[in-house]
């Protein structure tokens, strides 16, 4: 069973994951408006990942006898100076989410909630991947910044990103 404090913190994280999806959908639409379908595709899949993170948290809270209470989500940014600025913000956002996950782990440890701590380790590892993925795009965009056609090459590459829906959402094993 979850403590009230742990349940409230996990609810906040669900809300944060939903905001993340909302932010990435906004970024997707920015790229659509700039005729960068590969970048838009990358952000669309990132938004789907965030939705699965929220659902994973929801399922855990429910399994532990808790309840998810959704709260309003602030509107995300809608304009950026450049594609690089978008991915820099995505990377910065992932750093923020990492801190939030680490704070949840710290709370679970403080409360001797071993089940929640164990559950959260998946998110700890996931955030390493999330940060690396966003930073990789930032670094590529910096490399091609002054080259003619470089953005379009990166855009084409980002369009190849794949996402496998987890089994708990009806995806394959």
């Amino acid at each position: 069973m979850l403590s009230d404090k742990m349940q409230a913190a996990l609810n906040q994280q669900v809300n944060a994951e939903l905001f993340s999806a909302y932010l990435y959908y906004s970024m997707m639409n920015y790229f659509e408006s700039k005729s960068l379908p590969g970048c838009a595709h990358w952000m669309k899949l990132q938004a789907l990942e965030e939705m699965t993170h929220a659902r994973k948290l929801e399922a855990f809270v429910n399994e532990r006898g808790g309840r998810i209470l959704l709260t309003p989500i602030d509107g995300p940014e809608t304009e950026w100076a450049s594609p690089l600025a978008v991915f820099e913000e995505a990377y910065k956002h992932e750093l923020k989410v990492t801190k939030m996950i680490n704070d949840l782990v710290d709370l679970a440890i403080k409360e001797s909630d071993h089940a929640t701590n164990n559950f959260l380790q998946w998110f700890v590892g996931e955030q390493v991947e999330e940060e690396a993925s966003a930073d990789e795009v930032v670094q590529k965009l910096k490399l091609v910044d002054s080259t003619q056609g470089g953005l379009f090459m990166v855009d084409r590459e980002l369009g190849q990103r794949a996402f496998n829906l987890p089994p708990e959402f009806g995806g394959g094993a």
Side-chain angles (χ1 to χ4, degrees), residues 122-136:
W122 181 88
F123 287 91
V124 171
E126 178 69 5
Q127 281 309 118
V128 171
E129 293 175 22
E130 297 280 341
E131 287 180 21
S133 180
D135 188 49
E136 178 183 5

Side-chain angles (χ1 to χ4, degrees), residues 21 29 32 38 61-63 77 95 100 118 132 135-136 139 145 153 156 171 173:
N29 283 294
E32 290 282 348
V61 169
N62 288 326
E63 186 177 17
E77 290 288 324
L95 293 174
M100 295 170 76
N118 182 60
D135 188 49
E136 178 183 5
Q139 298 312 314
D145 187 43
M153 291 173 54
R156 187 176 1 187

Side-chain angles (χ1 to χ4, degrees), residues 108-167:
I109 290 168
K110 181 180 176 187
E111 295 210 346
S112 297
D113 185 344
H114 303 292
T116 300
N117 181 25
N118 182 60
F119 167 75
L120 290 170
Q121 294 310 305
W122 181 88
F123 287 91
V124 171
E126 178 69 5
Q127 281 309 118
V128 171
E129 293 175 22
E130 297 280 341
E131 287 180 21
S133 180
D135 188 49
E136 178 183 5
V137 180
V138 167
Q139 298 312 314
K140 286 179 181 180
L141 288 172
K142 285 180 178 179
L143 284 172
V144 303
D145 187 43
S146 61
T147 63
Q148 190 151 7
L151 174 59
F152 296 105
M153 291 173 54
V154 172
D155 184 63
R156 187 176 1 187
E157 179 185 332
L158 296 180
Q160 303 304 310
R161 182 180 183 190
F163 175 72
N164 295 315
L165 197 61

